[in-house]
Amino acid sequence: MVVTHEQIKPGEIHDPIVNDFAFTVATKNGSGSQTSNLVLIRSLFKMGIPVNGKNLFPSNIKGLPTWYTIRVSKDGYTARRATTEIAIAMNEATAQQDIENLPSGGVCILPQEWKWTHNRDDIAYYEIPVKETIKQFDIPTERREQVGNMVYVGAVAQLFDIPLDIVHQGLFDQFGGKEKPTKMNYNIIEAAYKWTAENIQKQDPYHFAPLDMTNGKILITGNEAGALGSIFGGVTVAAWYPITPSTSLIDSMLDYRNLRKDPETGEHTVAVIQAEDEIAAIGMVVGAGWAGARAMTSTSGPGISLMSEFAGLAYFAEIPAVIWDITRVGPSTGLPTRTSQGDILFAHFLGHGDTKQVCLLPGSVAECFEFGWRAFDIAEKLQTPVFVISDLDLGMNLWMSDPFEYPDEPLDRGKTLTTENFQQFYDEHGEWFRFRDYDNDGIPYRTLPGTDHPFAAYFTRGTGHDEFAVYSERSEDWVKNMKRLRKKLETGKSFLPKPVVDTAASNTVGIISFGTNDPAVQEARDWLASKGMGTNYLRLRALPVTGEVLDFVRNHERVYVIENNFDGQLHQILRMEIPEDTRHLKSLALGDGLPMTPNWIYDNILEQERQ
Amino acid sequence: MARTNVIGLERSDYKGRPSTLCPGCGHDSISNQIISMAFDLGIERHRIIKLSGIGCSSKTPAYFLGGSHGFNAIHGRMPSVATGALIANRELRAIAVSGDGDTGSIGLGQFKHLIRRNIPIVYIIENNGVYGLTKGQFSATADEGQNLKYYGKNELPPIDLALEAVAGGCTFVARSFSGDAKQVQALLKAAINHHGTAVLDIISPCVTFNNAETSTKSYPYGKEHEEPLHDIHFIMPQEEITVDYEEGETITVDLHDGSHIQLKKLERDYDPRNRESAIILLEQAQREHLFLTGLLYYEEPRPTLVETEHLSKTPLITLDETQLRPSADVLTEVMNRYK
């Protein structure tokens, strides 16, 4: 159901609202508040309450406003909510707006020392002494600002019922089991908790209460999941250039690569190379992939722009590569710290000339892990670049998930001839030519440099070539090669993750979406169902689109294509792929830089359906 | 019967496809020296990779060592491809061919970073001061004040790629002339045994667009003005160093694999093992328009990238599934950290 709050006056008697609300912490960037927010999330998670955190941060090191929203949902929903009921206003510069944004019946927690004027009578104000609390403890000057953020943790714990021992556990975990910082921060939390208990009269209905809905679950970001998946996928070369919001994927890989470090020598089995730019990063990936490595890079939109020439080369020269795009808002530098699905069209066709790239579209942290390893198999089986298109919301925010499933298939190196099996191939066929279609599936056999056989070498080039890998400007050779590449891509469709389809409800209204819109779509579908409008849903997980998608489009009277970019890019791709009339394919494209809300989907589908 | 080398191959086994460059092109002469070098040293062809960017020079890897894997990459960005390939398989040896457009303009950044990472590679710049495939534009190494048919006078100073290499921390920097086959050959032999990036800036005239005798990148100019700094001899590890020069007349440089370079002094008293003197010499050469060739700079090589990154001694591409995919228990243990 859509949650609309009735006019609730603070202090009036009303039914408690338990485990179904959201709160936003407004602070200054670089003040260290992230630690406090993560402690809160971990504590709620430990209480067994489904929780999701979203960080709305500026492109800035220190000083600009930042907001962190935590949603708890007894129903397990994890989408961003259109409104949050509680504001923890710790940044004076944005406090007025933060308070204005509260719904009637909301709560504002703010520092007592501001002596803030209470200009709303439909919300509760709780003023807590931030400075005074810190003063009680001997804290080094440079730590004071960060530790000060623990004051609101204590207040929140007391006001909305998070047991202190659980907060302590959350804190301990957040500090990686280190006693000293845990103690210093816990002292503040405890003091703030006590002060709040003694001095604040609760006037709101919001409560956390223990549930058992997070048992066995994990809390992780998509970038960590992607890095972990890559490690389990046998990545051997990762070349990259720092860019928000993809950097944390490689940062995580620097941690996880220790899982594969030789325990005796300390030698690494994956090279993580910070390149001089994204062009060099993908150049290294292409060189490594050509030489037989499982090579990847991770970047965001501006990096994808720079990589286009190499992406075209790798596509045409048939070199496996994995490219993660943690999408942010473009064009240009755009909104570098806001989320988007705006690269899908560009990535799918990245490269000049006739290029069609394979893209995987993870919709959860579990899929970030799965596609992390699977992408290498697909890239090597198809001998082509594979783009994994995540986004800032999935990549950088914490998501609940079941623990990841161990890969259920061994590494698949594709049609790669080695020193061991080259002679066998040669004996069977009486020849080996790099770009000859021996199996009539468009996928040729490749050899790697270092293959010790007099006939194993070939010359790789981005220029026109025949099936012998020899330079050719003949039109016939060019067209024959392009046809084989097209056939290869058709073969490849069977290797790609299939869409997740739910056709239980209706054959009237269908929804197609992908990636991080999933939680918002799922919630909106529940709301629509409660209004008597059942919807079917296809969540796309890969490009190029496959037959299942076309069937889904054909089998519904109206299909809404929901995506978080301005131009409706997936809608455009689908219209390109479907030869017949597609007027029943309706675009619902947002692209405002924020994770999608169920409210937006619900409102828009209802409005269109009324017409 | 044709002569065979130590691994029983003939010189023709090191050839590539027929060249499609202009007859008389300096680049073909360099390709020939690469073939001879590989034959003389008895190099196993499958251990070599040939790489290039885009341009006339970059076509040449197709014309030598047909039994080696080759990669004609994109304009100016071959260094990153080479870096990736050599990280993936540390047992490969790489010969890279670039041009003055490929290295001096679009690829200057990657050139400097290749050197900075000390990627073990013979990096040949076939330098002719002009863009050939696009029909005769000035490159960044063209002479200041030079006139070309369509593009008028070049008002900009040239970039000295050897000087860039020395400044960038390259531990093996040489300049040569494609008309001086013997020197090119000796430098190639030394370079392929160097433990790190070896830059050979070889003036290689473009007979079609830049061969007027007024151009410092022409055959007539090179033949007239080349001043070798020394006579260079490459000595294989198993060969004995025979000293048939006066004491103080030669400098012997020991390479990583046990081979040596012997430099016999000519007119100049120049020791290439000093970075400051190399820079002073190159500055002087530029100021006085001297065409000095030979080994300009050499130093004990730094660790290469696979060493500084502490990568597996076993080439990454030969690791098997047990080394590449941690066990299910490891995944469970990692998952527990996130609970």
Side-chain angles (χ1 to χ4, degrees):
Chain A
M1 283 298 292
V2 187
V3 181
T4 48
H5 289 275
E6 295 158 28
Q7 280 292 113
I8 307 167
K9 289 278 189 281
E12 283 179 5
I13 296 165
H14 37 65
D15 292 337
I17 297 171
V18 182
N19 295 338
D20 191 17
F21 55 95
F23 60 100
T24 293
V25 182
T27 53
K28 280 184 200 155
N29 197 37
S31 67
S33 56
Q34 181 77 340
T35 311
S36 298
N37 302 332
L38 294 177
V39 168
L40 282 172
I41 284 210
R42 287 190 196 288
S43 304
L44 294 166
F45 183 71
K46 281 178 194 301
M47 287 175 74
I49 309 169
V51 65
N52 175 270
K54 295 201 188 296
N55 191 11
L56 188 67
F57 60 103
S59 177
N60 161 263
I61 292 172
K62 219 168 166 56
L64 287 182
T66 179
W67 294 268
Y68 197 91
T69 300
I70 296 172
R71 176 185 185 182
V72 289
S73 166
K74 61 179 168 34
D75 302 311
Y77 293 128
T78 54
R80 183 172 78 88
R81 285 168 53 119
T83 53
T84 57
E85 291 84 352
I86 299 163
I88 299 162
M90 293 289 136
N91 181 3
E92 207 164 355
T94 63
Q96 188 167 342
Q97 190 65 50
D98 295 331
I99 293 166
E100 273 175 27
N101 288 346
L102 287 171
S104 188
V107 175
C108 176
I109 298 169
L110 70 172
Q112 200 179 50
E113 52 267 27
W114 289 354
K115 300 185 170 49
W116 195 263
T117 311
H118 298 195
N119 51 9
R120 281 185 68 170
D121 62 1
D122 61 339
I123 62 168
Y125 290 87
Y126 302 142
E127 284 160 308
I128 51 172
V130 176
K131 279 193 178 161
E132 283 301 314
T133 308
I134 310 169
K135 266 190 201 165
Q136 298 166 31
F137 300 93
D138 182 25
I139 292 161
T141 321
E142 72 278 6
R143 290 244 154 250
R144 268 183 212 162
E145 190 181 25
Q146 188 242 314
V147 172
N149 290 308
M150 292 297 157
V151 175
Y152 67 73
V153 176
V156 166
Q158 199 283 328
L159 286 164
F160 309 110
D161 309 328
I162 310 177
L164 269 183
D165 60 326
I166 286 185
V167 177
H168 187 271
Q169 270 180 43
L171 196 62
F172 189 67
D173 288 356
Q174 182 60 31
F175 284 112
K178 290 190 192 115
E179 293 286 352
K180 204 180 158 193
T182 303
K183 186 164 193 316
M184 181 167 79
N185 286 279
Y186 185 71
N187 286 340
I188 309 278
I189 292 171
E190 196 177 30
Y193 188 97
K194 276 187 187 153
W195 186 94
T196 308
E198 287 159 14
N199 296 281
I200 302 261
Q201 178 70 40
K202 187 172 166 75
Q203 307 169 54
D204 67 82
Y206 304 107
H207 295 274
F208 302 119
L211 290 174
D212 59 358
M213 292 174 73
T214 64
N215 282 348
K217 291 199 188 286
I218 59 164
L219 201 56
I220 194 168
T221 66
N223 282 352
E224 288 169 287
L228 193 61
S230 305
I231 289 287
F232 279 80
V235 60
T236 46
V237 174
W240 71 296
Y241 187 76
I243 183 169
T244 305
S246 85
T247 304
S248 62
L249 196 151
I250 298 291
D251 288 347
S252 304
M253 187 168 289
L254 289 170
D255 289 338
Y256 294 136
R257 72 171 172 171
N258 294 322
L259 299 174
R260 281 193 358 209
K261 195 156 86 170
D262 186 309
E264 280 164 29
T265 62
E267 288 166 0
H268 292 295
T269 57
V270 51
V272 182
I273 309 293
Q274 186 180 327
E276 58 269 32
D277 55 35
E278 286 91 342
I279 301 176
I282 190 162
M284 290 177 197
V285 169
V286 168
W290 172 72
R294 295 206 137 186
M296 66 175 283
T297 184
S298 176
T299 188
S300 192
I304 294 290
S305 293
L306 286 172
M307 290 178 183
S308 66
E309 190 181 11
F310 262 122
L313 171 73
Y315 177 83
F316 187 65
E318 304 186 55
I319 297 167
V322 173
I323 300 137
W324 281 74
D325 176 4
I326 316 300
T327 317
R328 64 192 220 184
V329 180
S332 192
T333 309
L335 300 174
T337 60
R338 296 288 185 273
T339 199
S340 164
Q341 295 182 321
D343 291 349
I344 178 170
L345 194 61
F346 185 51
H348 188 32
F349 299 107
L350 196 68
H352 58 269
D354 296 303
T355 320
K356 208 184 228 181
Q357 307 281 9
V358 170
C359 300
L360 307 185
L361 310 168
S364 64
V365 287
E367 285 181 353
C368 285
F369 176 79
E370 184 194 332
F371 295 177
W373 61 265
R374 210 179 270 286
F376 289 110
D377 291 345
I378 296 170
E380 287 208 293
K381 277 157 77 175
L382 271 181
Q383 300 174 28
T384 201
V386 171
F387 290 77
V388 187
I389 303 182
S390 171
D391 62 25
L392 181 144
D393 183 27
L394 181 56
M396 291 188 71
N397 287 322
L398 279 174
W399 297 82
M400 266 192 340
S401 171
D402 286 326
F404 303 149
E405 285 175 24
Y406 193 71
D408 54 0
E409 292 162 28
L411 305 185
D412 190 333
R413 309 304 305 259
K415 298 184 191 178
T416 306
L417 300 174
T418 61
T419 303
E420 290 70 40
N421 62 10
F422 184 89
Q423 186 62 49
Q424 190 190 336
F425 183 95
Y426 204 87
D427 291 343
E428 269 170 37
H429 295 83
E431 58 168 48
W432 167 77
F433 295 115
R434 170 68 179 96
F435 297 114
R436 182 161 276 184
D437 187 4
Y438 291 100
D439 302 332
N440 198 30
D441 59 1
I443 307 173
Y445 286 78
R446 67 176 186 140
T447 60
L448 306 179
T451 305
D452 186 6
H453 192 286
F455 303 130
Y458 73 100
F459 198 79
T460 300
R461 51 172 86 249
T463 40
H465 45 257
D466 57 21
E467 58 186 3
F468 313 110
V470 172
Y471 182 73
S472 170
E473 295 179 0
R474 293 175 70 230
S475 301
E476 297 82 354
D477 288 335
W478 180 266
V479 170
K480 189 177 174 191
N481 193 43
M482 292 306 285
K483 281 184 177 166
R484 185 181 54 76
L485 287 175
R486 186 183 286 167
K487 192 200 274 178
K488 180 171 91 162
L489 210 59
E490 277 304 314
T491 303
K493 285 181 181 177
S494 64
F495 308 159
L496 302 181
K498 299 215 173 312
V500 177
V501 188
D502 174 3
T503 49
S506 127
N507 55 6
T508 313
V509 180
I511 292 173
I512 294 180
S513 194
F514 68 100
T516 35
N517 307 331
D518 186 50
V521 171
Q522 297 282 17
E523 193 170 352
R525 288 180 70 214
D526 288 352
W527 297 358
L528 289 165
S530 75
K531 292 272 177 187
M533 187 191 294
T535 54
N536 288 347
Y537 176 33
L538 180 144
R539 181 165 65 83
L540 194 68
R541 302 200 298 163
L543 290 171
V545 296
T546 51
E548 296 95 335
V549 185
L550 306 189
D551 290 344
F552 186 88
V553 173
R554 287 170 184 143
N555 293 341
H556 289 82
E557 284 174 32
R558 287 177 300 285
V559 176
Y560 294 96
V561 183
I562 296 172
E563 53 193 312
N564 209 351
N565 57 59
F566 193 76
D567 280 343
Q569 298 181 15
L570 177 60
H571 183 251
Q572 293 179 40
I573 291 170
L574 292 174
R575 293 210 314 177
M576 264 186 264
E577 295 284 346
I578 296 166
E580 59 262 24
D581 185 2
T582 52
R583 273 175 294 184
H584 69 300
L585 199 61
K586 317 235 175 237
S587 176
L588 287 181
L590 181 58
D592 62 354
L594 300 173
M596 209 172 262
T597 61
N599 310 61
W600 184 83
I601 297 168
Y602 173 85
D603 291 348
N604 275 280
I605 290 183
L606 266 193
E607 188 189 322
Q608 296 228 10
E609 285 296 304
R610 275 198 205 106
Q611 286 168 6
Chain B
M1 211 179 103
R3 194 161 67 92
T4 54
N5 65 9
V6 289
I7 60 165
L9 295 180
E10 297 175 13
R11 189 178 182 282
S12 61
D13 292 325
Y14 291 94
K15 286 186 169 176
R17 303 185 67 79
S19 171
T20 60
L21 299 175
C22 306
C25 178
H27 302 355
D28 285 335
S29 155
I30 297 169
S31 297
N32 265 322
Q33 296 316 315
I34 294 171
I35 292 167
S36 295
M37 171 273 286
F39 171 68
D40 282 1
L41 297 183
I43 284 177
E44 291 179 293
R45 294 167 300 176
H46 70 276
R47 293 197 183 278
I48 295 283
I49 52 171
K50 315 170 288 182
L51 302 114
S52 61
I54 293 292
C56 290
S57 59
S58 293
K59 285 172 174 266
T60 65
Y63 314 144
F64 59 81
L65 271 60
S68 302
H69 275 75
F71 198 151
N72 180 199
I74 61 175
H75 203 14
R77 275 69 192 242
M78 165 268 282
S80 59
V81 175
T83 302
L86 293 169
I87 293 168
N89 186 349
R90 63 190 294 164
E91 288 179 353
L92 296 172
R93 291 201 275 180
I95 299 171
V97 183
S98 178
D100 40 308
D102 201 59
T103 293
S105 291
I106 189 167
L108 194 56
Q110 291 215 346
F111 173 62
K112 299 285 280 197
H113 285 275
L114 178 87
I115 290 168
R116 179 169 174 254
R117 297 191 178 98
N118 199 31
I119 303 300
I121 190 168
V122 181
Y123 191 93
I124 301 163
I125 305 157
E126 300 184 342
N127 187 349
N128 57 18
V130 75
Y131 284 77
L133 280 178
T134 52
K135 311 276 187 250
Q137 297 79 15
F138 287 114
S139 83
T141 65
D143 302 330
E144 190 172 355
Q146 189 188 351
N147 279 290
L148 283 181
K149 196 173 170 189
Y150 295 112
Y151 296 92
K153 189 177 171 190
N154 175 33
E155 304 281 2
L156 301 174
I159 291 176
D160 183 334
L161 294 169
L163 187 58
E164 291 296 333
V166 175
C170 188
T171 52
F172 186 115
V173 184
R175 174 163 288 147
S176 193
F177 175 46
S178 65
D180 186 347
K182 195 166 151 252
Q183 191 193 55
V184 169
Q185 168 89 236
L187 286 169
L188 281 169
K189 286 177 176 167
I192 200 146
N193 287 293
H194 181 62
H195 187 70
T197 310
V199 169
L200 308 186
D201 179 21
I202 305 179
I203 305 304
S204 176
C206 173
V207 291
T208 303
F209 293 109
N210 195 13
N211 201 31
E213 58 192 41
T214 48
S215 165
T216 63
K217 309 288 190 299
S218 69
Y219 274 123
Y221 185 92
K223 290 205 162 124
E224 176 74 24
H225 294 91
E226 187 198 0
E227 185 193 325
L229 291 164
H230 30 237
D231 272 340
I232 305 176
H233 297 280
F234 174 76
I235 301 161
M236 303 269 272
Q238 61 274 27
E239 277 181 67
E240 200 181 328
I241 305 175
T242 49
V243 184
D244 50 3
Y245 304 123
E246 294 289 313
E247 203 175 322
E249 286 296 291
T250 62
I251 294 170
T252 303
V253 174
D254 303 327
L255 296 175
H256 199 256
D257 66 338
S259 57
H260 315 274
I261 317 170
Q262 201 173 55
L263 307 169
K264 178 178 177 284
K265 280 181 195 167
L266 298 172
E267 285 87 53
R268 278 173 200 269
D269 188 16
Y270 179 69
D271 185 342
R273 293 170 298 185
N274 182 303
R275 185 151 146 171
E276 283 75 17
S277 352
I279 290 171
I280 291 166
L281 185 82
L282 284 164
E283 292 283 359
Q284 186 199 355
Q286 200 166 67
R287 194 171 55 245
E288 298 172 16
H289 303 289
L290 303 175
F291 184 20
L292 303 176
T293 63
L295 184 59
L296 298 167
Y297 181 58
Y298 176 86
E299 73 174 60
E300 272 300 304
R302 294 179 278 127
T304 62
L305 189 66
V306 292
E307 292 162 339
T308 52
E309 293 294 319
H310 306 292
L311 296 181
S312 158
K313 300 266 184 330
T314 311
L316 296 177
I317 67 151
T318 59
L319 298 172
D320 64 21
E321 178 146 359
T322 60
Q323 292 159 301
L324 293 178
R325 175 170 285 168
S327 69
D329 289 344
V330 171
L331 182 62
T332 306
E333 188 269 317
V334 174
M335 290 295 94
N336 286 337
R337 291 184 214 164
Y338 288 93
K339 279 180 179 168

